[in-house]
Structures are given as C-alpha cells and as structure tokens.
Amino acid sequence: MPVGNCTPLKTFLCQRSTMSVCALKLLPSTRALCSRASCSARASVRAFSCIATHSQLHKAEGTPGALTGKMDRFGGVTVNLAEIGLPADISESSFSRLLQDAVLLWKAEGKVAVWLRFPISLSRCAAAASTHGFTFHHAKGDQAVLALWLGEGESRLPGFATHQIGVAGAVVDESNGNVLVVQDRNKTKNAWKFPGGLSDPGENIGATAVREVFEETGVHSEFRSLLSIRQQHNHPGAFNMSDMYIICRLSPLTYDINFCTQECLRCEWLHLSELAKTNDTTPISSRVARLLLHGLEQGFHQIDLTMEELPAVYSGVFYQLYHRQLPPTLKS
C-alpha cells in the first residue's frame, strides 16, 4: 500500500529501501530479541529511507533536495527561507513536498518545533505550509514567521512579544527643586508630564530617557536611577496590547530649553511642589513629583533603584539590573 503521500514509483522505492529492515522479522532469533527500542529504530530507518528517496526524486525534477535550518538549545529548528537558496519562482506544490520531507526528518530526529521565516517574496508558500499544520506566529518588517509544534502534548511555544516599553525622564535640578516638564501637542487635555517616548529595540532604559528628553526639549541630561514602573493592559496606544511605562531620574547637563514644536505645545522648568499639587498634570506625574520631593528632603538613596551592569550566563553578554543600593559589605 502507498507510504504517506508517495506515488506508486516512490512507494516502490521506499519499500525496496526498507526490505532489508523488514526481512529481519523472518528470523526467529530476531523476533526473540525485538523490543520497543529496536522497533522504534526500524521506524526511524524507514522514515529516513523514504525521505532520501523523495529527495532524490525532487532533485531529478530540478527542485532543491532539502530544507535546512539552525538548531536551537530548546530542541527546535529555524529555517530562514531567504537564506537557503530556494528558487525565486518555486511553486507551492514543490515547496510543499520539500516541507513534508523536512518535517518527517525533524520528527525522526526528535525536534520539538519548527520555525519558518518567510520573506514577502515567498509569502505564497505560507499557504502550502498551513496544509502541514503551520500557523502564523508573528510578522515584522518584510518577514513573517510560521511555527509548528512537533513535541508531545499541547504546544509549549512562547507567544510573540506583546508589550511596548515607554520611558520618561524626570530631569531634576537639585539646586532649586525644579523639574523639566512638557505638554504634548494634539492631546485632548494639555497636562504637564515628563518628556519621554517609546524605547527602541536593543536600547537600554536610561539611554531611552536621555534621548527622548533631548529630542523633545533640547536639554542634555544623564541617567541616575529608575523611579517607577506602570503596567497597563489593553492599552489603546499599544494596539490594545500591554504597555510598560517607566520613569527615570535624570540630572541636567544643560538648562536652556529648545523644545520640539511638532511634539510639544509647551516646555518649562516647574517646581516639584507645584507639579505635585496642580490639577494640570497626570496622576502618575503628580505621584512621582511627591516621590522626588521626598528624595530631595531625605536623600535620593531612599527612592532610587540604581542600575548595575552584570555578566549574563552567555559568554560576552551583559544585562542591566535595577535595585536599591546595597551596603558595600553586601555587594560581593
């Protein structure tokens, strides 16, 4: 009977390639020694034999012989279709056959997941991948990623990142208690707030705060600490996903204001006590203003979450850790 989706010719070749394995069943001594492990081994041999036969036939038809990918430490494989040399005019049916063979091979090898990265130019092949169980995971720029779970039970693949990170900088002049604030243009309510914006991919929190403050106000500053984190879900400004809004304490390096008129309606140095009590601000800005007043009076070590860069478990990579300062005797 046909093997999988093999044609009669392919079935004949697959059966011939597995005859030597199946013939072992005729020997009594082999039957006596047969175990689950040996049966599993024969199944793997049959899968590899059929895959090899398919690949030979595909090459004869002028189609690349196999889909290759990079293995990850979680037992998955990632195939970037833009990098493996597929013909630009490959048909959906040809790609489907290649993918079928590759999935059989990855299953035999014990891979738990497959990630397919499609450039826009090969997006037509995504429909063929869907017939083999692949589903969309995410899309970004000129590439879409499809995924297939091969492991046991329900899929344990992580979902795509669903948060955006907004960062604001509270630039505090410790000599007089003033803080730099702006009013955004095109807002329904012109409330005083700290200048800020979205963090770029790969950008540290402090770097985002310093950059956004300069872009909106023209004031240069330096990062001192993390003050607060707000978490909000179903955020309308984040495509109804989740939003993290982080406020950092910065120290001014310059004081002259040259604000961006495209983004801001007004920009001023305002005393923290005024920002803490005015109705022309946001609840979070008012709360952080009171926090900064406490820091001015009692010392910023009472409110600061300072940053320290530490080596990660991966060689040559570092991460940033934010926490209250430890006494020197507890740092090591």
Side-chain angles (χ1 to χ4, degrees), residues 103-296:
V103 169
L104 285 173
L105 176 61
W106 292 323
K107 283 183 177 179
E109 291 176 341
K111 297 295 182 290
V112 299
V114 184
W115 303 89
L116 291 180
R117 295 186 174 273
F118 284 85
I120 289 179
S121 60
L122 291 174
S123 58
R124 63 186 180 281
C125 294
S130 70
T131 65
H132 298 287
F134 283 84
T135 57
F136 280 112
H137 187 265
H138 69 275
K140 185 177 180 182
D142 63 350
Q143 213 173 63
V145 177
L146 275 66
L148 175 66
W149 175 252
L150 298 177
E152 297 181 357
E154 294 184 2
S155 173
R156 298 196 300 274
L157 293 176
F160 188 57
T162 57
H163 289 66
Q164 71 176 14
I165 306 297
V167 184
V171 185
V172 180
D173 184 349
E174 297 180 43
S175 66
N176 55 23
N178 287 341
V179 64
L180 189 64
V181 289
V182 297
Q183 287 184 2
D184 285 341
R185 184 174 291 280
N186 300 324
K187 293 285 186 178
T188 55
K189 179 182 178 182
N190 293 322
W192 289 117
K193 59 183 284 291
F194 304 116
L198 293 179
S199 186
D200 291 333
E203 186 177 44
N204 289 339
I205 292 170
T208 301
V210 169
R211 174 180 58 78
E212 285 289 340
V213 165
F214 176 71
E215 289 177 357
E216 291 191 5
T217 71
V219 172
H220 291 278
S221 60
E222 62 179 352
F223 173 81
R224 301 303 295 273
S225 72
L226 188 152
L227 293 172
S228 68
I229 301 175
R230 182 210 66 194
Q231 184 179 29
Q232 182 175 338
H233 304 294
N234 299 315
H235 194 287
F239 305 100
N240 293 322
M241 301 305 250
S242 297
D243 174 82
M244 303 289 286
Y245 177 62
I246 298 171
I247 299 180
C248 301
R249 182 171 73 88
L250 308 180
S251 291
L253 298 176
T254 62
Y255 298 86
D256 292 336
I257 293 174
N258 182 21
F259 68 91
C260 175
T261 56
Q262 292 180 329
E263 294 189 35
C264 304
L265 185 66
R266 298 173 64 188
C267 179
E268 294 182 11
W269 288 99
L270 197 66
H271 197 274
L272 283 167
S273 59
E274 185 176 350
L275 182 63
K277 65 183 180 181
T278 181
N279 292 325
D280 295 328
T281 188
T282 63
I284 190 171
S285 298
S286 177
R287 177 69 62 88
V288 171
R290 291 195 291 271
L291 181 68
L292 288 167
L293 282 172
H294 179 68
L296 279 174

